[in-house]
């Protein structure tokens, strides 16, 4: 048996503690599989005496993760602290500069500095593995980087944030409030330290930026992604979606278009009988359309201590076996500059919820504004606002929900601007894109 592979683990929170448990529980099995012991040589966290649920006797403690990353006794540095800058970045850079392979679960770091870090890793000829950074326990990085490496990918999309999916599913199934369900997601360890990263769509955008680079061989471009979060989704939208045969999901979508790459994160309507609509709770799903392989859908746990630790440990096993792949599949020198498709060119159908002053001619005027921009209405329903009885003051706003036929984002935006300016609605209309999924022939 070869000499043990010594790990330095920085960050002993949800994921770090999960990893310590896995390494302890599967110690002998892992040694058998890779032909060497995986041993924890040093750890770092903020608070030394916290109970991590696993004994750390004989393991060196480092107050400073950078010192751990460069310690000569460490073979592999595992970064599980989080954050795109600060100590996590400093430690990963230091480890790579010292010629040590790195494993990280940190999507913010990879999405924002992945290119520079990958260059450094390539220069030093060491691995930079980040399977856990996208969709927790789902092996989507390996799928793109290894299994589909001989394909041309046309589109990659999915539910990439467990917290948002948990919130939307629970709001749908239990009619509970956004705030209450968010607190529950935080208590269960799904949400990021700052949950606005989750609900604002930025966590999904970080993951999508990584997938986009791997899928299309482009430089990573987190800032070029269009991002909308789930904060504006109300019970009225959730109920209207159900009535019209849809579910609302926060999706990240990246696809090649004639003019570049369209990458967007936003709440989307998906048909209720699609596989993605059935993905509930903290579960994530990633769909990939590839030319030779066809369409794949990977579904699994996107967050939580054990699934994420499983992905981190898989990356460590690869290093222990001596496997070395370019971090973004295409070596950094050959990655193409990212070229963004204008969102106005996006084509699709839309859900529109309007709060319309209930007066003669209001709908006619709205329909005219849509027609002026060649936006064709597929269905329209006037609903009683939630919590409101049959009696409503004359002219008080009524809830009107419509679904359009396919149109462009630009036409839709201009129509909605004109409707708002006409003063027939009491607030800016809610517009949600309807996503056409693999195998979905409906709009
Ligand atoms: P936690 O907040 O639970 O843990 C963070 C850890 O980092 C803690 O142990 C903390 O120490 C330690 N830490 C913070 N600052 C420092 C510092 N300056 N020096 C040393 N240690 C420090 O985060 P998670 O475990 O949830 O997440 C870790 C990473 O994994 C993040 O990048 C996250 O995005 C990613 N990830 C998380 C998933 C999840 O389900 N939670 C899923 C997929 C990825 P202490 O414990 O003493 O406070
Ligand atoms: N906060 C993230 C989520 C953790 O909710 O999906 C996994 O990346």
């Amino acid at each position: 048996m070869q000499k043990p592979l010594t790990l330095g683990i920085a960050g002993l929170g949800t994921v770090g503690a999960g990893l310590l448990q896995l390494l302890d529980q599967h110690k002998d099995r892992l040694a058998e599989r890779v032909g060497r012991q995986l041993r924890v040589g040093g750890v770092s966290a903020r608070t030394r005496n916290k109970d991590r649920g696993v004994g750390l006797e004989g393991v060196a403690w480092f107050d400073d993760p950078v010192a751990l990353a460069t310690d000569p006794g460490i073979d592999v540095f595992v970064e599980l602290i989080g954050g795109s800058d600060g100590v996590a970045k400093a430690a990963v850079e230091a480890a790579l500069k010292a010629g040590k392979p790195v494993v990280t679960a940190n999507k913010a770091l990879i999405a924002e500095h992945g290119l520079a870090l990958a260059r450094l890793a390539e220069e030093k000829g060491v691995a930079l593995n980040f399977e856990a950074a996208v969709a927790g326990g789902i092996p989507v990085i390996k799928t793109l980087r290894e299994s589909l490496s001989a394909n041309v990918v046309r589109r990659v999309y999915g539910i990439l944030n467990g917290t948002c999916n948990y919130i939307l599913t629970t709001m749908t199934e239990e009619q509970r409030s956004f705030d209450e369900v968010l607190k529950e997601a935080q208590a269960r360890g799904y949400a990021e330290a700052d949950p606005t990263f989750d609900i604002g769509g930025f966590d999904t955008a970080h993951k999508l930026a990584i997938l986009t680079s791997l899928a299309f061989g482009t430089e990573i471009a987190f800032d070029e992604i269009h991002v909308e979060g789930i904060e504006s989704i109300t019970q009225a939208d959730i109920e209207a979606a159900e009535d019209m045969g849809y579910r609302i999901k926060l999706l990240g979508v990246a696809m090649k278009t004639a003019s570049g790459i369209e990458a967007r994160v936003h709440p989307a309507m998906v048909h209720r009988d699609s596989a993605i609509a059935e993905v509930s709770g903290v579960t994530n799903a990633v769909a990939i359309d590839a030319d030779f392989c066809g369409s794949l859908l990977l579904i699994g746990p996107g967050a939580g201590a054990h699934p994420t630790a499983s992905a981190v440990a898989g990356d460590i096993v690869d290093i222990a076996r001596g496997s070395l792949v370019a971090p973004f599949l295409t070596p950094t020198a050959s990655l193409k500059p990212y070229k963004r498709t204008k969102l106005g060119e996006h084509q699709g159908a839309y859900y529109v919820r309007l709060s319309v002053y209930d007066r003669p001619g209001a709908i006619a005027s709205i329909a005219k504004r849509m027609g002026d921009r060649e936006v064709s209405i597929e269905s329209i329903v006037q609903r009683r606002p939630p919590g409101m009885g049959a009696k409503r003051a004359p002219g008080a706003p009524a809830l009107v929900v419509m679904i359009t036929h396919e149109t462009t984002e630009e036409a839709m935006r201009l129509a909605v601007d004109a409707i708002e300016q006409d003063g027939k609605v009491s607030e800016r209309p809610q517009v949600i894109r309807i996503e056409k999924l693999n195998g979905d022939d409906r709009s």
Side-chain angles (χ1 to χ4, degrees), residues 83-86 88-90 92-93 96 106-120 128 206 220 222 328:
S84 60
D85 291 283
K89 177 169 175 260
V92 167
E93 276 173 352
L96 292 173
N106 190 338
K107 54 259 163 160
L109 177 71
I110 298 297
E112 295 184 33
H113 304 291
L115 190 62
L117 295 174
R119 275 196 193 112
L120 200 48
L128 171 60
H206 279 145
I220 202 155
F222 165 68
F328 290 101

Side-chain angles (χ1 to χ4, degrees), residues 32-51:
E32 238 170 63
R33 287 181 185 167
V34 301
R36 61 199 298 195
Q37 296 281 342
L38 303 182
R39 121 175 216 281
V40 182
V43 293
S44 176
R46 265 178 312 213
T47 321
R48 185 163 187 170
N49 298 320
K50 218 188 250 183
D51 178 11

Side-chain angles (χ1 to χ4, degrees), residues 230-266:
I230 62 167
E231 309 92 326
S232 71
I233 302 299
T234 64
Q235 271 300 333
D237 295 317
I238 286 175
E239 284 170 27
E242 284 287 313
D243 284 359
M244 298 176 120
Y246 294 98
R247 294 254 157 85
I248 303 176
K249 297 288 179 190
L250 183 77
L251 293 187
V253 183
M255 59 206 274
K256 263 197 176 146
T257 71
S259 59
I261 290 170
E262 179 179 313
R264 49 193 163 81
V265 172
H266 52 79

Side-chain angles (χ1 to χ4, degrees), residues 12-15 45-47 50 52 80 82 105-107 192 304 308:
L12 304 176
T14 304
V15 182
R46 265 178 312 213
T47 321
K50 218 188 250 183
R52 312 284 175 180
L80 303 172
N106 190 338
K107 54 259 163 160
E192 296 302 303
T308 313

Side-chain angles (χ1 to χ4, degrees), residues 36 47 59 260 305 376 437:
R36 61 199 298 195
T47 321
V59 175
S376 174
L437 307 173

Side-chain angles (χ1 to χ4, degrees), residues 107 161-163 190-192 198 203 207 302-303:
K107 54 259 163 160
N161 185 269
T163 303
Y190 306 148
E192 296 302 303
D198 295 296
D203 178 75
K207 295 166 182 168

